Amino acid sequence: MYEQLLLVFILLMLKHTIADYFLQRMWMIRDKSEYGAPGGIAHASSHAIGTALVLIPFLVSNFLAVILAIIDGVIHYHIDYVKSNIWKKYKLTDSQTYYWILQGVDQYLHFLTYALIIYIIGA
């Protein structure tokens, strides 16, 4: 059981890397500070779809996999929305320390989401 949960966590981290760094485009990044804009929704949807693809083979219930994937997408969307608006409000750029601190907090919160998913699966 623990080995499977560890594998799910590793696969969620891989999914996260692919969705955040390989699939994300500038139009998505630009849209994330506007609530409901297509870019932020598209980006969060790529996370939700990826999470579903990771979880379905491991769970008896496809329904639970889809619910957890939707939860991941919704949480991811809101974390990115808040981060993007803080960047915007304080005019932070990638040459500033606080930009990277906030980026680190953002990533940590996403990883906590995966810990929550693992906890729910293991419960």
Side-chain angles (χ1 to χ4, degrees):
M1 173 73 163
Y2 293 116
E3 292 86 2
Q4 281 193 330
L5 291 175
L6 178 59
L7 181 57
V8 169
F9 184 73
I10 290 168
L11 291 173
L12 286 171
M13 298 293 290
L14 175 62
K15 178 277 307 182
H16 183 86
T17 301
I18 291 168
D20 256 18
Y21 299 101
F22 290 81
L23 300 177
Q24 186 168 212
R25 299 293 178 250
M26 288 308 299
W27 65 273
M28 295 175 176
I29 294 169
R30 281 192 297 271
D31 271 4
K32 288 195 286 188
S33 65
E34 182 182 333
Y35 202 84
I41 292 171
H43 176 64
S45 296
S46 73
H47 278 278
I49 291 166
T51 297
L53 292 173
V54 167
L55 296 180
I56 286 172
F58 290 94
L59 298 179
V60 175
S61 169
N62 286 348
F63 179 74
L64 178 59
V66 170
I67 294 300
L68 291 172
I70 290 169
I71 289 168
D72 180 34
V74 169
I75 291 172
H76 194 100
Y77 179 87
H78 288 91
I79 291 169
D80 283 2
Y81 173 76
V82 170
K83 174 194 69 180
S84 297
N85 276 284
I86 293 171
W87 279 349
K88 191 176 182 178
K89 178 179 179 177
Y90 294 102
K91 298 177 175 54
L92 298 175
T93 65
D94 62 4
S95 65
Q96 295 172 292
T97 300
Y98 287 117
Y99 174 97
W100 291 107
I101 290 171
L102 192 56
Q103 180 66 18
V105 170
D106 164 270
Q107 294 299 293
Y108 177 69
L109 292 173
H110 294 314
F111 301 156
L112 283 179
T113 304
Y114 304 139
L116 173 64
I117 290 170
I118 296 298
Y119 177 79
I120 291 169
I121 292 170

